[in-house]
Amino acid sequence: MSQKNPKQKPSKKGFSIGRLFQSNRFVLIFSLFAAIVLWFIMAVNNTENRARIIYDIPIDTALSEEAVQQGFQVFEQSDQTARVSVTGSNLVVNQLTSSDIRVSAALSSSITRAGTYTLNLTASKSSSLTDYEVDTIYPGSIILFVDKFVEKTFSIDQQVEYTVSDGYYAASPSLSETKITISGPETEVSNVDRVVLEKKVDGQLKEPVEFEQALTLYDKNGEKITDLGHMELSSQSVNVKIDVLKKVEVPVKATFKNLPEGLDVSDLVKVSPATIKVGCYVKSKQETLKEINLQPVDMTEVTPDNTTFTVGFDLPEGCTNISGAKHAMLQFALSGYEMRTFTITNLVTSNATTGQNVSVETTELEVVLVGPKDRLQKLKNADLYAELDLDGKDELTGSIAVPAKIHVDSKYGAWAVGEYTAYVNITHTEA
């Protein structure tokens, strides 16, 4: 009887496909793989035709280049996309997308006049996938509205109705825009005759009002255009502001420049009109406004031979002249006044800066004064002096001309006429 050798190793078993199929997991994976391969082989070899619908294919409505150059364009298109039914090889049909088929509006490139057109649709193959046939197109036709594109600018006809309370004044309505541009088909735009802003403001106005108002279009027959069609407006509404002002009548006061300090010539001047009506919408102005100043009269121009001046009103902010007068007339009563020439030797400088050395080169000035004859006879040359103002001339060096302001004591009731200039020499002390 033979005995087993305990050190002897067990023999190795060889690889067995049959043993793999004894594994449930392997059988499941193998079955899925085999099914996929079988499906692919059948799909590749299946040449049986099948039908399919391709959706959302853009419709080409291109006009001719000539029509585009003339300004024609499509303003309305009944459908933007189409769907096409095709039949063909199962493999090819399954790959088709909307980019593989081109749908066109027949004869759109031949349109050369404005109008509404009904055009049949045609489909063509636009890629390398060609093994199929087009069966139907839906819709079978589309409607196009074609016209020239134009723009036209209209002034806004303002028709705002309102009532103002007693004691108040309303300025004309102010519009945020006074013109608008209408663009679109020529046949529609040419039918517009007027653009109107219509509004009736309720109540009696005592304070400013502001609102937004839609615009109304009228045709050449005076009828409202309720449907804008294909037209576009640069603005369909505008902001409207109506300033409402409190009316007040105030005296008019003359003002002067180049008048010697302390000299009052108001008794010499007659102002016409003496009062004006103004409207102020700022409450504080209504309460404090006591008079309206005129723009200053330059006394260097007032002589016994030149006594009448036309000047404008210097209105405060927030106030409007509602009297209708655009200017006031000033009349100087200079009876008993005369012109006399004096020589000034006292020339002084003012407003020199630190480090600026100034010497007056002009030794005397001949000036003409206007004043009461009896007072001018008492006036001496030594009573006058000329001021040379160096303000703003700190960067200048050398001999320069400086305006001379003539000073005369107000007790003489006189003023200088004309313009005078003196020369000074400027040097600078080095720091």
Side-chain angles (χ1 to χ4, degrees):
M1 185 174 180
S2 63
Q3 296 180 347
K4 293 183 179 181
N5 186 351
K7 295 183 179 181
Q8 184 178 356
K9 295 182 180 179
S11 60
K12 294 183 179 179
K13 295 181 180 180
F15 173 76
S16 173
I17 296 178
R19 188 179 297 115
L20 289 176
F21 281 94
Q22 293 177 3
S23 170
N24 292 335
R25 179 176 296 180
F26 176 79
V27 171
L28 176 61
I29 295 174
F30 179 80
S31 299
L32 290 174
F33 176 75
I36 293 173
V37 172
L38 180 61
W39 175 86
F40 180 76
I41 294 173
M42 293 178 65
V44 170
N45 291 280
N46 182 12
T47 57
E48 182 180 352
N49 286 350
R50 62 160 291 195
R52 185 182 169 208
I53 298 177
I54 312 300
Y55 294 90
D56 299 325
I57 303 173
I59 300 174
D60 181 8
T61 58
L63 303 179
S64 67
E65 183 178 349
E66 179 184 359
V68 173
Q69 290 178 348
Q70 291 178 3
F72 285 101
Q73 66 181 53
V74 177
F75 283 95
E76 185 176 343
Q77 184 173 324
S78 59
D79 292 274
Q80 300 297 321
T81 62
R83 62 178 186 262
V84 174
S85 174
V86 299
T87 302
S89 166
N90 188 52
L91 180 62
V92 173
V93 168
N94 283 339
Q95 297 182 66
L96 291 177
T97 66
S98 60
S99 62
D100 295 311
I101 301 175
R102 180 172 179 261
V103 175
S104 305
L107 302 178
S108 61
S109 61
S110 65
I111 295 175
T112 57
R113 293 183 180 180
T116 301
Y117 298 85
T118 300
L119 303 178
N120 292 328
L121 297 182
T122 61
S124 59
K125 302 168 185 178
S126 60
S127 72
S128 59
L129 298 175
T130 59
D131 191 15
Y132 66 92
E133 298 297 330
V134 174
D135 294 332
T136 59
I137 305 172
Y138 183 85
S141 63
I142 60 170
I143 300 174
L144 298 184
F145 172 51
V146 179
D147 203 345
K148 286 185 177 181
F149 176 83
V150 296
E151 289 185 341
K152 187 175 180 180
T153 299
F154 293 82
S155 295
I156 298 175
D157 182 5
Q158 178 256 111
Q159 296 183 8
V160 181
E161 298 181 18
Y162 53 89
T163 304
V164 184
S165 296
D166 291 341
Y168 290 83
Y169 165 81
S172 298
S174 173
L175 308 185
S176 59
E177 298 180 61
T178 59
K179 297 179 181 293
I180 68 161
T181 299
I182 301 178
S183 59
E186 184 178 36
T187 53
E188 294 180 359
V189 175
S190 62
N191 190 44
V192 179
D193 183 59
R194 293 185 301 139
V195 177
V196 184
L197 186 147
E198 300 173 318
K199 175 70 174 180
K200 184 173 183 179
V201 182
D202 297 331
Q204 293 188 333
L205 302 183
K206 290 185 178 180
E207 58 185 24
V209 294
E210 191 169 357
F211 54 88
E212 184 177 356
Q213 183 62 32
L215 299 172
T216 303
L217 274 55
Y218 284 86
D219 63 20
K220 296 180 179 179
N221 296 320
E223 300 292 333
K224 285 185 180 181
I225 299 175
T226 57
D227 183 4
L228 292 179
H230 306 88
M231 293 185 291
E232 292 185 359
L233 281 61
S234 58
S235 296
Q236 293 198 2
S237 62
V238 296
N239 290 323
V240 183
K241 182 178 181 181
I242 304 176
D243 283 333
V244 179
L245 316 172
K246 177 68 175 178
K247 289 193 294 187
V248 59
E249 186 170 1
V250 292
V252 178
K253 180 183 178 181
T255 63
F256 311 93
K257 64 180 180 179
N258 293 319
L259 186 66
E261 185 177 354
L263 179 60
D264 183 4
V265 295
S266 57
D267 290 342
L268 299 177
V269 181
K270 179 182 179 182
V271 180
S272 179
T275 64
I276 63 168
K277 292 181 180 180
V278 297
C280 300
Y281 64 86
V282 179
K283 185 177 181 181
S284 61
K285 291 296 184 184
Q286 299 172 13
E287 295 172 348
T288 61
L289 188 63
K290 303 300 181 183
E291 61 189 12
I292 292 294
N293 290 331
L294 293 173
Q295 295 173 355
V297 172
D298 190 348
M299 291 301 294
T300 63
E301 300 177 2
V302 180
T303 69
D305 297 325
N306 186 33
T307 58
T308 303
F309 297 84
T310 301
V311 294
F313 300 98
D314 189 7
L315 293 173
E317 183 180 358
C319 294
T320 299
N321 180 0
I322 61 177
S323 67
K326 301 298 183 183
H327 302 90
M329 185 75 69
L330 268 66
Q331 180 72 46
F332 285 83
L334 298 183
S335 176
Y337 279 67
E338 69 174 8
M339 300 171 63
R340 181 173 293 190
T341 301
F342 295 84
T343 300
I344 297 179
T345 57
N346 185 13
L347 288 81
V348 299
T349 62
S350 63
N351 295 317
T353 60
T354 303
Q356 190 179 44
N357 303 313
V358 183
S359 60
V360 180
E361 296 184 322
T362 301
T363 57
E364 63 180 39
L365 283 177
E366 282 195 356
V367 299
V368 177
L369 299 184
V370 173
K373 182 177 180 179
D374 55 343
R375 297 189 197 181
L376 288 184
Q377 291 175 350
K378 301 176 183 179
L379 183 61
K380 307 298 182 182
N381 290 332
D383 296 327
L384 305 172
Y385 74 94
E387 179 187 2
L388 311 181
D389 190 355
L390 300 177
D391 185 36
K393 297 176 174 57
D394 49 308
E395 300 296 329
L396 300 179
T397 300
S399 182
I400 63 171
V402 179
K405 180 179 180 180
I406 310 304
H407 290 265
V408 53
D409 195 315
S410 61
K411 69 181 181 180
Y412 294 104
W415 61 89
V417 296
E419 296 181 352
Y420 303 95
T421 300
Y423 286 86
V424 299
N425 187 66
I426 300 176
T427 60
H428 295 272
T429 302
E430 295 184 1

